[in-house]
Amino acid sequence: ASQGLLLMIPNMYKIAGELTSFAMHVSARTLATHALSIFGDHSDVMSVRMTGFAMLCSDSVQSAHDFALISQSATLRSRVPMLHFFDGFRTSHEVAKIEELSNEDLKSMVTDELIAAHRSRALTPDNPVVRGTAQNPDSFFQAREAGNGYYTACPAIVQEEMDKFAKLTGRAYRLFEYFGAADADRVIVIMGSGADTAHEYVEWAQKQGEKVGLLKVRLYRPFSARDFVKALPASTRKLAVLDRCKEPGSPADPLHLDILAALREMREEGATTLDPVVVGGRYGLSSKEFTPSMIKAVYDNLAQPRPKNHFTIGILDDVTHSSLPWDPEFDIEAKDVSRCLFYGLGADGTVRANKNSIKIIAEETDNFGQGYFVYDSKKSGAVTISHLRFGPRQIRSAYLIRKANFIACHQTSFLDKYPMLESAQEGATFLLNTAAGADKAWDTLPKEFQQTILERKLKFYVIDAYEVGRLTGMGVRINTIMQTCFFAIS
């Protein structure tokens, strides 16, 4: 990831140039520019798109698990090295309920024949070949173009491996996956975890009668323009292409440029008559939140007679005025999804306890579960906020909880620092760890907290977890005690 991936670029050119089967998995993260950031976007993977690696993008924990296998089998068949990437932190650090692949699934996809063929290409004095030479102008260009056939064949091979995978598991993937109204006139093109959030919004918007669609990019390189235009509905009039990176000085960001080129070329070849208005936008740099309300803003922009181009969404750009407005109160999460927030201290065990909680809920009940954990980059001793969701259907909400029905504060000192009850829904539960007894805890709350509890009719519980920890010999690790309270009152 990040700078570490960039240090591999010279080797990546060699691996691809020598057609060596290879699968690399990248949790896509920000590159240091004006500042260092450890968080997620597509800056790093977009920096290696010229190396010759195929690039496969997953958008969820389940698809990351699945694409790990698909990328492995596809590279062994195609000899084009695969870079499989998913969003750093948002996907790489999410705990979610998935269907796990078995050893039999792996053996069915990665066969003995493929492995034997790969091993037969190893350098050995028993089977001498020339590889990695130095070439002069008389031969380099010709040899460089000689690899074209492998890249031409690669998209079809990846699709064949996806089809084989679908027969094994029932989970079907396409190079470009369309979801939405069959007669949609406004379509968003996106890849990564933002596609899962967009999927959630489009599902909701269709129920409201909106003609909107979503095109998820799975295989970004080699870019198959023909498969791209086939996946778009014939009714498409306007396209918004969303990039999770910034390429300063370029006429447009990477995915936006590719879509413009693909549409133009396919029209000229007669492969499509589609000629939509295409605009590009940037979102989610350094793990900036990307929510359904922002996706709604992108579709609303497309509905304008002249949609804004080269826009940003998720920030207020008061310098170059590129940003789209959005409604932070807009919420489409289902009422039957439980949403819980836990405020803890780095290294107090809160995150570990919540990881256990969501695993227990997902494994021992029919509920789907999702756990996401927000750390301060200062780690130990700084605040950690755990976001837990569980409910009866697959959870696609790849964004932080903003309206919770359970909030727990594991450290009393946070009361004066964080307005944690701002996220509380009416009738929600608030659990506080405090040394003040149940009879005195109310008086220790800031006035704003008391007011919110009364106005929103919150249920208020307290426990002195440190005292329980002392009496039971558990010390300052209050995580198991607070976890027990959560299960008891939720």
Side-chain angles (χ1 to χ4, degrees):
S2 196
Q3 261 50 62
L5 176 62
L6 264 57
L7 289 168
M8 299 180 74
I9 288 177
N11 291 327
M12 292 174 73
Y13 273 103
K14 288 298 289 178
I15 291 164
E18 294 178 8
L19 293 168
T20 306
S21 296
F22 177 65
M24 181 199 290
H25 308 283
V26 175
S27 56
R29 291 202 195 181
T30 310
L31 294 174
T33 51
H34 67 286
L36 172 70
S37 170
I38 64 167
F39 295 100
D41 59 34
H42 298 165
S43 312
D44 54 359
V45 290
M46 287 302 171
S47 299
V48 303
R49 66 190 189 275
M50 218 182 110
T51 58
F53 268 60
M55 296 172 69
L56 193 62
C57 181
S58 51
D59 60 0
S60 64
V61 179
Q62 180 72 67
S63 61
H65 182 60
D66 294 346
F67 284 10
L69 175 55
I70 290 169
S71 61
Q72 188 73 53
S73 60
T75 191
L76 285 168
R77 272 195 61 200
S78 66
R79 289 187 60 186
V80 174
M82 291 272 167
L83 188 154
H84 161 228
F85 70 96
F86 41 89
D87 288 354
F89 283 98
R90 186 61 253 182
T91 304
S92 65
H93 284 56
E94 185 178 308
V95 177
K97 186 172 187 170
I98 66 165
E99 191 175 314
E100 197 172 15
L101 295 168
S102 66
N103 282 347
E104 285 65 41
D105 293 331
L106 288 129
K107 285 173 184 171
S108 298
M109 295 283 288
V110 182
T111 63
D112 291 343
E113 292 77 20
L114 287 174
I115 295 167
H118 177 62
R119 288 180 176 168
S120 72
R121 294 191 288 271
L123 287 172
T124 167
D126 299 329
N127 182 27
V129 292
V130 175
R131 192 180 301 159
T133 59
Q135 291 178 344
N136 288 329
D138 60 335
S139 57
F140 183 93
F141 192 179
Q142 298 92 304
R144 190 77 181 106
E145 296 298 321
N148 289 352
Y150 290 91
Y151 286 86
T152 306
C154 185
I157 290 171
V158 173
Q159 187 59 63
E160 284 164 18
E161 294 304 302
M162 287 176 166
D163 295 343
K164 196 191 298 182
F165 182 87
K167 283 178 187 168
L168 277 176
T169 65
R171 293 190 294 280
Y173 298 104
R174 308 287 307 168
L175 305 184
F176 297 92
E177 282 173 32
Y178 178 76
F179 175 75
D183 57 349
D185 54 358
R186 291 170 290 152
V187 176
I188 283 177
V189 183
I190 191 171
M191 57 186 168
S193 62
D196 230 20
T197 303
H199 187 118
E200 181 187 44
Y201 175 80
V202 170
E203 209 164 29
W204 176 87
Q206 279 189 274
K207 290 173 187 167
Q208 319 307 310
E210 286 193 53
K211 293 183 179 181
V212 294
L214 162 70
L215 195 65
K216 303 178 190 180
V217 178
R218 298 294 197 186
L219 185 69
Y220 176 60
R221 288 285 187 269
F223 193 95
S224 174
R226 206 165 289 274
D227 285 297
F228 167 72
V229 294
K230 270 189 201 168
L232 279 174
S235 53
T236 306
R237 296 291 170 266
K238 292 175 181 175
L239 274 183
V241 185
L242 295 181
D243 277 274
R244 198 165 199 159
C245 72
K246 179 179 176 69
E247 189 171 346
S250 173
D253 289 318
L255 185 59
H256 185 192
L257 279 179
D258 289 349
I259 299 306
L260 289 169
L263 281 167
R264 173 73 181 264
E265 190 172 315
M266 288 300 99
R267 276 197 304 273
E268 289 180 356
E269 288 185 14
T272 185
T273 55
L274 282 173
D275 191 8
V277 172
V278 182
V279 296
R282 213 165 21 252
Y283 75 101
L285 266 59
S286 185
S287 290
K288 195 75 170 181
E289 275 291 88
F290 186 57
T291 63
S293 62
M294 295 171 194
I295 293 155
K296 180 181 187 299
V298 175
Y299 282 118
D300 289 347
N301 179 49
L302 284 181
Q304 300 302 315
R306 291 192 64 184
K308 186 170 194 160
N309 199 2
H310 306 299
F311 60 83
T312 55
I313 183 67
I315 61 166
L316 174 60
D317 174 13
D318 55 0
V319 179
T320 53
H321 310 292
S322 63
S323 51
L324 300 179
W326 77 95
D327 177 10
E329 295 303 310
F330 180 77
D331 181 48
I332 61 168
E333 285 200 67
K335 299 289 179 280
D336 56 1
V337 175
S338 293
R339 293 174 260 179
C340 314
L341 289 174
F342 301 80
Y343 288 77
L345 200 64
D348 73 354
T350 297
V351 168
R352 181 164 295 282
N354 288 319
K355 283 183 177 177
N356 288 338
S357 295
I358 204 65
K359 286 173 186 175
I360 291 166
I361 292 166
E363 288 172 4
E364 303 302 327
T365 75
D366 290 334
N367 283 301
F368 285 86
Q370 178 204 63
Y372 188 70
F373 309 93
V374 177
Y375 305 84
D376 190 289
S377 53
K378 292 184 282 293
K379 305 289 176 76
S380 182
V383 66
T384 62
I385 308 170
S386 304
H387 296 248
L388 266 57
R389 287 183 175 96
F390 55 93
R393 289 175 305 282
Q394 184 180 350
I395 295 167
R396 297 186 180 276
S397 311
Y399 50 91
L400 303 179
I401 291 169
R402 287 166 300 116
K403 294 185 180 177
N405 43 33
F406 183 97
I407 297 173
C409 175
H410 291 197
Q411 302 290 338
T412 320
S413 62
F414 290 169
L415 291 175
D416 296 317
K417 297 176 185 173
Y418 303 103
M420 56 191 82
L421 293 190
E422 281 185 1
S423 309
Q425 287 184 313
E426 188 164 329
T429 298
F430 176 46
L431 168 65
L432 174 66
N433 170 34
T434 175
D439 53 340
K440 295 177 183 169
W442 177 260
D443 296 327
T444 66
L445 295 180
K447 189 182 175 186
E448 300 80 33
F449 274 64
Q450 295 176 345
Q451 201 170 337
T452 304
I453 289 170
L454 294 172
E455 284 174 358
R456 300 189 190 177
K457 302 180 177 66
L458 306 187
K459 294 185 275 290
F460 180 35
Y461 291 84
V462 296
I463 184 170
D464 187 351
Y466 283 110
E467 178 65 10
V468 176
R470 189 182 66 77
L471 293 171
T472 55
M474 296 170 74
V476 297
R477 289 280 178 154
I478 60 167
N479 50 338
T480 309
I481 299 158
M482 299 304 291
Q483 181 182 17
T484 307
C485 296
F486 165 60
F487 281 127
I489 61 180
S490 65

